[in-house]
Amino acid sequence: MLELREIIFWIFSFGLICSALLVVTTRRPVWSVLALVSAFVCAAALWVMQGAEFLGLALIFIYVGAVMTLFLFVVMMLNQESLTAERLRRYALPFALGLAGFLLFLLWHHAWPVSVAASLPESRFTGTNTQALGRMLYGSYVFEFELAAFILLVGMISAIGLTFRGKRAGNKAVPVEAQLNVSSKDRLSVATFKDAS
Amino acid sequence: MNALLLELWPLIWIVFKVICIVAPLLLVVAYLTLAERKVIGYIQRRLGPNRVGILGILQPIADGLKLLFKEWVIPTKSSKFLFIIAPILSLVPALLMWAVVPFTQEWVLANIDAGVLFILSMASLGVYGILLAGWASNSKYAFFGAMRACAQMISYEIAMGFALIGVLMVSGSMNLKTIVMHQAGGVSHWFVWPLFPMFMVYWISAIAETNRAPFDVAEGESEIVAGFHVEYSGMGFALFFLAEYANMIIVSALAVLMFFGGWLSPFEGFKLFSGAAVPGIIWFVLKVFLFLFSYLWFRATLPRYRYDQIMRLGWKILIPIAIGWIVIIGAMIQFNWIEV
């Protein structure tokens, strides 16, 4: 009889492979994004089972919760037909086969160890894996980490710089300060009528 | 047979505990809808529902039965599978979050170390149900609602996350039980005092996250009919309703756990009101109800925000306040102004 843990592992591994296949085989872009979401969730579950609960939950929080939502947002706005154009499909199969061959070559060339865990060096850190991760990122690799953050900041600013064209002429938007300074006298006037009785 | 039962026993025990959490939760959801109609009724000098049962006490049951037996209309040219799965996708994360909530010191289903992170990641999944409902309905109003909800939830998630970072810094843990135990010692030890701006940021973004008034532009009856769930009827609509109210209760419970001492009594330290007299669960439920009442109060009092005002509030006011206060908390911890 299988252990409960093992059953859970097989469910999520099978789910991961199936959804990864669905990402590339389905012709509907929205389904493709959803399959990728499901792949992320399955991968996160596998990481949590390995004891890396911080990484697993951060994967769901950042990738599934934020990045993929924006992906879905964009894909939903696109014209669905234009994505499945014939000219794209013509190159897809040779490219995929080439990439698969290259990856297989890499695996064969480096003689990938059967158990990744056994080949890893003994951990230098004590404590929970969250603490180890924190010491690693903000200790040993702090320069690289900050550099990556800086590159992301540059990317963000340049994206804003590319899309922001300044105030357009004829914009009817009211400045927020003017909105806040409105008093009831500007909007309402009380009229007095002569008493009818 | 006996051996099999013994092996499955932990599983059965967990399922039993899950039922013990979900059944009262659904009951609270049902009566929260009645409370909402009653409270808003009284605020507007009306009576609210008072025909079904004494003082309308059976109204939620009548509503539930009505929704259960209504026809579920699926629009033509909609994406059928996504249309059906969307309400489920919005309800499941709302219920999942309860797995890590400690009701008292002993009553918690899964006392995991990364509890706060688990809740944040589950809360971020809730947007998929809304987004898919809006897209799969193949209706422009539903799509507008989904777009609005999506942008709003992503923006306020950031402010909410920063507000919770303050709690993590002061308590030094992501385990909800540890966070509550750090606040032991009466009302003056609760995190709401050193973290008051964080609490305000958290509570405003929590209301925006649950798409409730005054941030309910995703439903905006006066502009886009009923927003993302305009095409849903019967049980599909009921599931969205359940998810919305379950989310309201969980963010209230989180506010209580992280800023208001969870199940701890406010009078700890006073001999007369020592914690043993009143069980912790009563304090917890009372505090959660206080926050739920404020939800209803806001809805009856405040007009709906305009969309650009929501974005301005989230990005230009709440996030800078939260980031600024993180620096101040860091200074407070460094100079030992608060105990850590």
PDB file of all heavy atoms in Angstrom, chain B residues 203-216:
ATOM      1  N   TRP B 203      -6.453  47.635   6.835  1.00  0.00           N
ATOM      2  CA  TRP B 203      -7.914  47.536   6.839  1.00  0.00           C
ATOM      3  C   TRP B 203      -8.514  48.151   5.570  1.00  0.00           C
ATOM      4  O   TRP B 203      -9.437  47.601   4.985  1.00  0.00           O
ATOM      5  CB  TRP B 203      -8.478  48.177   8.114  1.00  0.00           C
ATOM      6  CG  TRP B 203      -9.930  47.914   8.288  1.00  0.00           C
ATOM      7  CD1 TRP B 203     -10.898  48.831   8.463  1.00  0.00           C
ATOM      8  CD2 TRP B 203     -10.577  46.638   8.296  1.00  0.00           C
ATOM      9  NE1 TRP B 203     -12.113  48.211   8.564  1.00  0.00           N
ATOM     10  CE2 TRP B 203     -11.945  46.860   8.461  1.00  0.00           C
ATOM     11  CE3 TRP B 203     -10.136  45.326   8.151  1.00  0.00           C
ATOM     12  CZ2 TRP B 203     -12.880  45.846   8.501  1.00  0.00           C
ATOM     13  CZ3 TRP B 203     -11.066  44.304   8.183  1.00  0.00           C
ATOM     14  CH2 TRP B 203     -12.407  44.566   8.363  1.00  0.00           C
ATOM     15  N   ILE B 204      -7.948  49.278   5.117  1.00  0.00           N
ATOM     16  CA  ILE B 204      -8.456  49.874   3.875  1.00  0.00           C
ATOM     17  C   ILE B 204      -8.192  48.933   2.706  1.00  0.00           C
ATOM     18  O   ILE B 204      -9.079  48.679   1.881  1.00  0.00           O
ATOM     19  CB  ILE B 204      -7.807  51.252   3.643  1.00  0.00           C
ATOM     20  CG1 ILE B 204      -8.259  52.231   4.729  1.00  0.00           C
ATOM     21  CG2 ILE B 204      -8.180  51.790   2.282  1.00  0.00           C
ATOM     22  CD1 ILE B 204      -7.526  53.538   4.704  1.00  0.00           C
ATOM     23  N   SER B 205      -6.975  48.357   2.644  1.00  0.00           N
ATOM     24  CA  SER B 205      -6.722  47.473   1.502  1.00  0.00           C
ATOM     25  C   SER B 205      -7.485  46.169   1.634  1.00  0.00           C
ATOM     26  O   SER B 205      -7.808  45.558   0.613  1.00  0.00           O
ATOM     27  CB  SER B 205      -5.235  47.220   1.278  1.00  0.00           C
ATOM     28  OG  SER B 205      -4.496  47.417   2.402  1.00  0.00           O
ATOM     29  N   ALA B 206      -7.803  45.752   2.860  1.00  0.00           N
ATOM     30  CA  ALA B 206      -8.608  44.536   3.004  1.00  0.00           C
ATOM     31  C   ALA B 206     -10.000  44.751   2.422  1.00  0.00           C
ATOM     32  O   ALA B 206     -10.552  43.871   1.758  1.00  0.00           O
ATOM     33  CB  ALA B 206      -8.704  44.146   4.480  1.00  0.00           C
ATOM     34  N   ILE B 207     -10.558  45.941   2.665  1.00  0.00           N
ATOM     35  CA  ILE B 207     -11.880  46.222   2.112  1.00  0.00           C
ATOM     36  C   ILE B 207     -11.808  46.271   0.590  1.00  0.00           C
ATOM     37  O   ILE B 207     -12.686  45.778  -0.111  1.00  0.00           O
ATOM     38  CB  ILE B 207     -12.429  47.535   2.696  1.00  0.00           C
ATOM     39  CG1 ILE B 207     -12.691  47.355   4.185  1.00  0.00           C
ATOM     40  CG2 ILE B 207     -13.713  47.938   2.001  1.00  0.00           C
ATOM     41  CD1 ILE B 207     -12.999  48.633   4.900  1.00  0.00           C
ATOM     42  N   ALA B 208     -10.711  46.857   0.060  1.00  0.00           N
ATOM     43  CA  ALA B 208     -10.559  46.910  -1.388  1.00  0.00           C
ATOM     44  C   ALA B 208     -10.335  45.518  -1.968  1.00  0.00           C
ATOM     45  O   ALA B 208     -10.832  45.200  -3.047  1.00  0.00           O
ATOM     46  CB  ALA B 208      -9.395  47.828  -1.757  1.00  0.00           C
ATOM     47  N   GLU B 209      -9.586  44.663  -1.243  1.00  0.00           N
ATOM     48  CA  GLU B 209      -9.321  43.306  -1.717  1.00  0.00           C
ATOM     49  C   GLU B 209     -10.591  42.483  -1.827  1.00  0.00           C
ATOM     50  O   GLU B 209     -10.718  41.623  -2.687  1.00  0.00           O
ATOM     51  CB  GLU B 209      -8.379  42.592  -0.739  1.00  0.00           C
ATOM     52  CG  GLU B 209      -6.922  42.861  -0.947  1.00  0.00           C
ATOM     53  CD  GLU B 209      -6.360  42.037  -2.071  1.00  0.00           C
ATOM     54  OE1 GLU B 209      -6.268  40.812  -1.929  1.00  0.00           O
ATOM     55  OE2 GLU B 209      -6.023  42.642  -3.090  1.00  0.00           O
ATOM     56  N   THR B 210     -11.524  42.712  -0.910  1.00  0.00           N
ATOM     57  CA  THR B 210     -12.759  41.930  -0.942  1.00  0.00           C
ATOM     58  C   THR B 210     -13.806  42.585  -1.839  1.00  0.00           C
ATOM     59  O   THR B 210     -14.931  42.103  -1.905  1.00  0.00           O
ATOM     60  CB  THR B 210     -13.325  41.768   0.473  1.00  0.00           C
ATOM     61  OG1 THR B 210     -13.243  43.028   1.148  1.00  0.00           O
ATOM     62  CG2 THR B 210     -12.547  40.761   1.264  1.00  0.00           C
ATOM     63  N   ASN B 211     -13.438  43.669  -2.531  1.00  0.00           N
ATOM     64  CA  ASN B 211     -14.344  44.346  -3.465  1.00  0.00           C
ATOM     65  C   ASN B 211     -15.643  44.784  -2.802  1.00  0.00           C
ATOM     66  O   ASN B 211     -16.730  44.631  -3.358  1.00  0.00           O
ATOM     67  CB  ASN B 211     -14.672  43.441  -4.655  1.00  0.00           C
ATOM     68  CG  ASN B 211     -13.503  43.312  -5.589  1.00  0.00           C
ATOM     69  OD1 ASN B 211     -12.779  44.286  -5.797  1.00  0.00           O
ATOM     70  ND2 ASN B 211     -13.296  42.141  -6.108  1.00  0.00           N
ATOM     71  N   ARG B 212     -15.531  45.304  -1.586  1.00  0.00           N
ATOM     72  CA  ARG B 212     -16.730  45.751  -0.886  1.00  0.00           C
ATOM     73  C   ARG B 212     -16.811  47.284  -0.934  1.00  0.00           C
ATOM     74  O   ARG B 212     -15.813  47.960  -1.166  1.00  0.00           O
ATOM     75  CB  ARG B 212     -16.672  45.296   0.573  1.00  0.00           C
ATOM     76  CG  ARG B 212     -16.773  43.819   0.743  1.00  0.00           C
ATOM     77  CD  ARG B 212     -18.171  43.337   0.554  1.00  0.00           C
ATOM     78  NE  ARG B 212     -19.083  43.961   1.495  1.00  0.00           N
ATOM     79  CZ  ARG B 212     -20.372  43.669   1.575  1.00  0.00           C
ATOM     80  NH1 ARG B 212     -20.897  42.780   0.770  1.00  0.00           N
ATOM     81  NH2 ARG B 212     -21.141  44.262   2.456  1.00  0.00           N
ATOM     82  N   ALA B 213     -18.011  47.812  -0.658  1.00  0.00           N
ATOM     83  CA  ALA B 213     -18.187  49.261  -0.625  1.00  0.00           C
ATOM     84  C   ALA B 213     -17.250  49.859   0.421  1.00  0.00           C
ATOM     85  O   ALA B 213     -17.060  49.249   1.464  1.00  0.00           O
ATOM     86  CB  ALA B 213     -19.635  49.585  -0.261  1.00  0.00           C
ATOM     87  N   PRO B 214     -16.632  51.021   0.200  1.00  0.00           N
ATOM     88  CA  PRO B 214     -16.796  51.926  -0.943  1.00  0.00           C
ATOM     89  C   PRO B 214     -15.903  51.608  -2.140  1.00  0.00           C
ATOM     90  O   PRO B 214     -15.746  52.466  -2.998  1.00  0.00           O
ATOM     91  CB  PRO B 214     -16.403  53.265  -0.331  1.00  0.00           C
ATOM     92  CG  PRO B 214     -15.364  52.919   0.668  1.00  0.00           C
ATOM     93  CD  PRO B 214     -15.739  51.587   1.218  1.00  0.00           C
ATOM     94  N   PHE B 215     -15.303  50.416  -2.181  1.00  0.00           N
ATOM     95  CA  PHE B 215     -14.419  50.082  -3.311  1.00  0.00           C
ATOM     96  C   PHE B 215     -15.066  49.049  -4.218  1.00  0.00           C
ATOM     97  O   PHE B 215     -14.372  48.225  -4.794  1.00  0.00           O
ATOM     98  CB  PHE B 215     -13.088  49.540  -2.792  1.00  0.00           C
ATOM     99  CG  PHE B 215     -12.373  50.460  -1.861  1.00  0.00           C
ATOM    100  CD1 PHE B 215     -12.269  50.173  -0.519  1.00  0.00           C
ATOM    101  CD2 PHE B 215     -11.792  51.622  -2.332  1.00  0.00           C
ATOM    102  CE1 PHE B 215     -11.613  51.026   0.339  1.00  0.00           C
ATOM    103  CE2 PHE B 215     -11.129  52.472  -1.480  1.00  0.00           C
ATOM    104  CZ  PHE B 215     -11.047  52.172  -0.138  1.00  0.00           C
ATOM    105  N   ASP B 216     -16.389  49.021  -4.329  1.00  0.00           N
ATOM    106  CA  ASP B 216     -17.026  47.934  -5.078  1.00  0.00           C
ATOM    107  C   ASP B 216     -17.273  48.290  -6.539  1.00  0.00           C
ATOM    108  O   ASP B 216     -18.308  47.957  -7.096  1.00  0.00           O
ATOM    109  CB  ASP B 216     -18.331  47.517  -4.402  1.00  0.00           C
ATOM    110  CG  ASP B 216     -19.302  48.670  -4.261  1.00  0.00           C
ATOM    111  OD1 ASP B 216     -18.857  49.813  -4.424  1.00  0.00           O
ATOM    112  OD2 ASP B 216     -20.484  48.424  -3.981  1.00  0.00           O
TER     113      ASP B 216
END
